[in-house]
Amino acid sequence: MPKKLKKKTVNRVKQPKSPVGFFFYKRIIIVSVLALLFLTGLFALTQSREWYFFTTGKEQFVSYDPSQSVGFYEGKVIPVPPISVAYGVTEQKESVVLGDADVANKKIEVDLTNQRVYAFENGNKVYDFLISSGKYGRTPTGEFTIERRVPIQSMIGGNKALGTYYNLPGVRYVQYFGNTSIPWWKGFSFHSTYWHNNFGHPMSHGCINMTLADSEALWNWTGQTGVKVVIYGTTPAS
Protein backbone atom coordinates (compact mmCIF):
# COMPACT_ATOMS: atom_id res chain seq x y z
CA MET A 1 0.00 0.00 0.00
CA PRO A 2 1.21 3.43 -0.73
CA LYS A 3 2.56 5.38 2.14
CA LYS A 4 0.50 8.24 3.44
CA LEU A 5 1.97 11.57 2.68
CA LYS A 6 2.55 13.76 5.70
CA LYS A 7 1.04 17.18 5.49
CA LYS A 8 3.61 19.87 5.60
CA THR A 9 3.10 22.34 8.41
CA VAL A 10 3.38 25.89 7.24
CA ASN A 11 4.52 28.34 9.92
CA ARG A 12 2.44 31.45 9.39
CA VAL A 13 3.93 34.69 10.56
CA LYS A 14 1.46 36.57 12.71
CA GLN A 15 0.83 40.04 11.36
CA PRO A 16 0.77 42.78 14.01
CA LYS A 17 -2.57 44.42 14.50
CA SER A 18 -2.84 47.73 12.75
CA PRO A 19 -2.73 50.70 15.15
CA VAL A 20 -4.97 52.73 12.82
CA GLY A 21 -8.13 51.85 14.70
CA PHE A 22 -6.63 52.76 18.08
CA PHE A 23 -5.35 56.13 16.92
CA PHE A 24 -8.61 56.87 15.12
CA TYR A 25 -10.69 56.39 18.26
CA LYS A 26 -8.10 58.26 20.33
CA ARG A 27 -8.44 61.26 18.03
CA ILE A 28 -12.21 61.07 18.23
CA ILE A 29 -12.03 61.14 22.03
CA ILE A 30 -9.59 64.08 22.09
CA VAL A 31 -11.64 66.10 19.60
CA SER A 32 -14.83 65.37 21.55
CA VAL A 33 -13.26 66.51 24.84
CA LEU A 34 -11.92 69.72 23.27
CA ALA A 35 -15.28 70.44 21.68
CA LEU A 36 -17.01 69.91 25.02
CA LEU A 37 -14.59 72.27 26.76
CA PHE A 38 -15.07 74.89 24.07
CA LEU A 39 -18.86 74.70 24.25
CA THR A 40 -18.76 74.83 28.04
CA GLY A 41 -16.59 77.95 27.95
CA LEU A 42 -18.76 79.52 25.28
CA PHE A 43 -21.87 78.88 27.33
CA ALA A 44 -20.25 80.41 30.41
CA LEU A 45 -19.29 83.51 28.44
CA THR A 46 -22.73 84.00 27.00
CA GLN A 47 -24.23 83.76 30.47
CA SER A 48 -22.05 86.57 31.82
CA ARG A 49 -23.36 90.13 31.90
CA GLU A 50 -20.59 91.45 29.74
CA TRP A 51 -19.16 89.40 26.87
CA TYR A 52 -16.84 91.20 24.53
CA PHE A 53 -13.45 90.09 23.26
CA PHE A 54 -11.32 90.71 20.23
CA THR A 55 -7.68 91.40 19.56
CA THR A 56 -5.83 93.48 17.01
CA GLY A 57 -2.58 91.61 17.56
CA LYS A 58 -1.23 94.44 19.69
CA GLU A 59 -4.16 95.12 21.93
CA GLN A 60 -6.96 93.10 23.49
CA PHE A 61 -10.45 94.33 24.18
CA VAL A 62 -12.15 92.13 26.73
CA SER A 63 -15.24 92.01 28.89
CA TYR A 64 -15.45 94.17 31.97
CA ASP A 65 -14.71 92.34 35.19
CA PRO A 66 -16.32 94.21 38.12
CA SER A 67 -13.97 92.46 40.55
CA GLN A 68 -11.00 94.42 39.16
CA SER A 69 -10.57 97.54 41.25
CA VAL A 70 -7.20 98.69 39.88
CA GLY A 71 -5.63 99.11 36.48
CA PHE A 72 -2.02 99.33 35.32
CA TYR A 73 -0.61 102.05 33.10
CA GLU A 74 3.03 103.03 32.43
CA GLY A 75 4.19 101.08 35.48
CA LYS A 76 1.66 102.70 37.80
CA VAL A 77 -1.28 101.22 39.64
CA ILE A 78 -4.41 103.20 38.80
CA PRO A 79 -7.65 102.92 40.84
CA VAL A 80 -10.66 102.11 38.68
CA PRO A 81 -13.54 104.54 39.29
CA PRO A 82 -16.54 102.78 40.81
CA ILE A 83 -19.19 101.73 38.32
CA SER A 84 -22.64 102.55 39.65
CA VAL A 85 -24.61 101.99 36.45
CA ALA A 86 -25.81 98.50 35.51
CA TYR A 87 -24.97 97.75 31.90
CA GLY A 88 -27.13 95.16 30.21
CA VAL A 89 -26.02 95.61 26.60
CA THR A 90 -22.60 94.36 25.61
CA GLU A 91 -22.31 96.04 22.25
CA GLN A 92 -24.33 97.65 19.51
CA LYS A 93 -23.52 96.33 16.08
CA GLU A 94 -24.14 98.40 13.00
CA SER A 95 -27.87 98.30 12.44
CA VAL A 96 -28.63 101.68 10.89
CA VAL A 97 -30.97 101.84 7.95
CA LEU A 98 -29.58 103.94 5.11
CA GLY A 99 -31.25 107.30 5.04
CA ASP A 100 -31.87 107.39 8.79
CA ALA A 101 -32.55 111.05 9.52
CA ASP A 102 -30.76 111.14 12.88
CA VAL A 103 -27.60 109.65 11.42
CA ALA A 104 -27.64 111.82 8.30
CA ASN A 105 -27.95 114.99 10.37
CA LYS A 106 -25.05 114.18 12.71
CA LYS A 107 -21.31 114.40 12.18
CA ILE A 108 -18.29 114.20 14.47
CA GLU A 109 -15.06 116.02 13.61
CA VAL A 110 -11.72 115.30 15.27
CA ASP A 111 -9.23 118.16 15.02
CA LEU A 112 -5.86 116.58 15.80
CA THR A 113 -3.95 119.85 15.51
CA ASN A 114 -5.97 121.49 18.28
CA GLN A 115 -6.78 118.24 20.12
CA ARG A 116 -10.53 118.79 20.01
CA VAL A 117 -13.69 116.94 19.04
CA TYR A 118 -16.64 118.79 17.54
CA ALA A 119 -20.15 117.36 17.22
CA PHE A 120 -22.46 118.83 14.59
CA GLU A 121 -26.19 118.37 14.15
CA ASN A 122 -28.00 119.86 11.16
CA GLY A 123 -24.84 121.84 10.46
CA ASN A 124 -24.78 123.41 13.94
CA LYS A 125 -22.00 122.71 16.42
CA VAL A 126 -23.54 121.27 19.56
CA TYR A 127 -20.41 120.02 21.38
CA ASP A 128 -16.76 121.06 21.59
CA PHE A 129 -14.58 118.70 23.67
CA LEU A 130 -10.90 118.72 24.60
CA ILE A 131 -9.32 115.33 23.90
CA SER A 132 -6.04 113.42 23.74
CA SER A 133 -5.19 111.62 20.50
CA GLY A 134 -2.39 109.22 19.59
CA LYS A 135 1.05 109.56 21.14
CA TYR A 136 2.25 105.93 21.30
CA GLY A 137 0.30 105.07 18.14
CA ARG A 138 -0.94 107.30 15.33
CA THR A 139 -4.59 108.31 15.19
CA PRO A 140 -5.70 107.75 11.56
CA THR A 141 -7.09 110.57 9.45
CA GLY A 142 -9.89 110.42 6.92
CA GLU A 143 -13.60 109.68 6.89
CA PHE A 144 -15.02 106.94 9.10
CA THR A 145 -18.28 105.66 10.51
CA ILE A 146 -19.10 104.61 14.06
CA GLU A 147 -19.67 100.87 13.74
CA ARG A 148 -19.61 99.42 17.28
CA ARG A 149 -20.65 100.84 20.65
CA VAL A 150 -19.64 99.15 23.89
CA PRO A 151 -20.83 100.71 27.18
CA ILE A 152 -17.98 99.33 29.29
CA GLN A 153 -15.00 97.02 28.78
CA SER A 154 -11.33 96.44 29.56
CA MET A 155 -8.37 97.30 27.34
CA ILE A 156 -5.07 95.42 27.54
CA GLY A 157 -1.89 95.94 25.54
CA GLY A 158 1.66 97.22 25.43
CA ASN A 159 4.86 95.44 26.40
CA LYS A 160 6.00 94.76 29.96
CA ALA A 161 9.65 94.58 28.95
CA LEU A 162 9.45 98.02 27.37
CA GLY A 163 7.43 99.46 30.23
CA THR A 164 4.44 100.19 28.00
CA TYR A 165 2.12 97.48 29.36
CA TYR A 166 -1.36 98.56 30.38
CA ASN A 167 -4.41 96.76 31.70
CA LEU A 168 -7.33 99.13 32.08
CA PRO A 169 -10.65 97.76 33.31
CA GLY A 170 -13.82 99.84 33.30
CA VAL A 171 -13.24 101.87 30.13
CA ARG A 172 -16.64 103.40 29.44
CA TYR A 173 -18.63 104.74 26.50
CA VAL A 174 -16.48 103.11 23.83
CA GLN A 175 -17.45 103.98 20.24
CA TYR A 176 -15.40 102.22 17.56
CA PHE A 177 -15.08 103.81 14.14
CA GLY A 178 -13.78 102.42 10.88
CA ASN A 179 -13.88 102.41 7.09
CA THR A 180 -13.01 100.01 4.28
CA SER A 181 -9.26 100.59 4.74
CA ILE A 182 -9.19 100.68 8.55
CA PRO A 183 -11.95 98.40 9.91
CA TRP A 184 -13.45 99.06 13.33
CA TRP A 185 -11.79 95.99 14.85
CA LYS A 186 -8.41 97.69 14.51
CA GLY A 187 -9.51 99.26 17.78
CA PHE A 188 -9.70 103.01 17.11
CA SER A 189 -12.45 104.56 19.20
CA PHE A 190 -13.74 107.38 21.36
CA HIS A 191 -13.75 106.37 25.02
CA SER A 192 -13.55 107.59 28.60
CA THR A 193 -10.16 107.93 30.27
CA TYR A 194 -9.38 107.79 33.99
CA TRP A 195 -5.62 107.02 33.92
CA HIS A 196 -4.54 110.53 32.97
CA ASN A 197 -5.87 114.08 33.08
CA ASN A 198 -3.60 115.58 30.45
CA PHE A 199 -6.30 116.38 27.91
CA GLY A 200 -5.25 118.73 25.14
CA HIS A 201 -2.02 116.76 24.66
CA PRO A 202 -1.40 113.47 22.81
CA MET A 203 -1.56 110.59 25.30
CA SER A 204 -3.18 107.57 23.64
CA HIS A 205 -2.19 104.55 21.59
CA GLY A 206 -4.30 105.88 18.71
CA CYS A 207 -7.74 106.25 20.27
CA ILE A 208 -9.53 109.45 21.18
CA ASN A 209 -9.20 109.84 24.97
CA MET A 210 -12.01 111.85 26.59
CA THR A 211 -13.12 112.72 30.09
CA LEU A 212 -15.86 110.55 31.55
CA ALA A 213 -18.41 113.37 31.33
CA ASP A 214 -17.52 114.26 27.73
CA SER A 215 -17.46 110.65 26.52
CA GLU A 216 -20.86 110.07 28.12
CA ALA A 217 -22.29 113.19 26.48
CA LEU A 218 -20.95 112.11 23.07
CA TRP A 219 -22.30 108.57 23.61
CA ASN A 220 -25.78 109.82 24.46
CA TRP A 221 -25.79 112.32 21.60
CA THR A 222 -24.62 109.77 19.02
CA GLY A 223 -27.28 107.32 20.15
CA GLN A 224 -26.49 104.66 17.56
CA THR A 225 -23.99 103.43 15.02
CA GLY A 226 -23.69 104.93 11.55
CA VAL A 227 -22.70 108.47 12.53
CA LYS A 228 -20.02 109.95 10.26
CA VAL A 229 -16.59 110.74 11.73
CA VAL A 230 -14.05 113.02 10.01
CA ILE A 231 -10.50 113.17 11.40
CA TYR A 232 -8.04 115.77 10.13
CA GLY A 233 -5.00 117.80 11.12
CA THR A 234 -1.61 116.85 12.53
CA THR A 235 -1.06 115.58 16.05
CA PRO A 236 1.35 117.90 17.89
CA ALA A 237 4.62 116.56 19.24
CA SER A 238 3.44 116.84 22.84
Side-chain angles (χ1 to χ4, degrees):
M1 292 186 62
K3 293 182 179 180
K4 291 183 179 180
L5 295 175
K6 292 183 178 180
K7 291 183 179 181
K8 291 184 178 180
T9 304
V10 178
N11 294 326
R12 298 181 181 276
V13 178
K14 291 184 177 180
Q15 298 294 328
K17 292 183 178 180
S18 173
V20 173
F22 171 76
F23 286 115
F24 175 76
Y25 288 112
K26 185 177 180 181
R27 288 177 182 176
I28 291 293
I29 293 171
I30 292 175
V31 170
S32 299
V33 171
L34 291 175
L36 180 62
L37 291 173
F38 172 77
L39 291 174
T40 302
L42 184 62
F43 177 79
L45 283 172
T46 56
Q47 298 307 302
S48 65
R49 265 181 49 196
E50 299 294 338
W51 177 33
Y52 197 76
F53 174 87
F54 69 90
T55 178
T56 64
K58 295 181 179 180
E59 190 167 30
Q60 294 180 352
F61 304 85
V62 301
S63 61
Y64 167 62
D65 182 355
S67 68
Q68 292 183 283
S69 59
V70 296
F72 300 91
Y73 184 76
E74 294 186 339
K76 299 177 182 178
V77 177
I78 311 293
V80 178
I83 307 299
S84 58
V85 180
Y87 293 91
V89 179
T90 302
E91 62 170 319
Q92 293 180 7
K93 297 183 179 180
E94 188 169 6
S95 58
V96 175
V97 178
L98 292 178
D100 186 294
D102 289 339
V103 172
N105 292 335
K106 292 180 179 180
K107 181 178 70 170
I108 300 171
E109 292 188 4
V110 181
D111 180 352
L112 298 178
T113 303
N114 295 298
Q115 294 290 284
R116 305 200 77 89
V117 161
Y118 313 117
F120 294 89
E121 189 164 5
N122 295 316
N124 299 314
K125 185 165 67 173
V126 294
Y127 285 118
D128 183 340
F129 301 123
L130 193 63
I131 56 98
S132 289
S133 66
K135 175 181 179 180
Y136 306 103
R138 186 181 69 87
T139 300
T141 56
E143 294 188 2
F144 306 87
T145 301
I146 291 181
E147 296 183 355
R148 293 292 188 279
R149 286 161 40 92
V150 184
I152 184 169
Q153 67 175 87
S154 298
M155 295 183 176
I156 305 170
N159 187 303
K160 291 183 178 181
L162 298 176
T164 59
Y165 172 76
Y166 59 92
N167 185 336
L168 300 167
V171 181
R172 302 170 68 176
Y173 307 114
V174 186
Q175 302 192 80
Y176 292 101
F177 53 84
N179 57 25
T180 55
S181 300
I182 305 175
W184 70 269
W185 47 262
K186 288 292 186 180
F188 296 106
S189 66
F190 302 93
H191 61 73
S192 72
T193 309
Y194 60 83
W195 48 94
H196 77 78
N197 193 33
N198 196 27
F199 299 101
H201 302 275
M203 289 293 293
S204 81
H205 290 77
C207 287
I208 308 300
N209 287 184
M210 305 180 70
T211 68
L212 176 60
D214 291 350
S215 62
E216 181 180 15
L218 188 67
W219 170 280
N220 291 331
W221 174 81
T222 303
Q224 59 185 322
T225 57
V227 175
K228 185 178 180 180
V229 177
V230 180
I231 305 178
Y232 55 84
T234 303
T235 300
S238 60

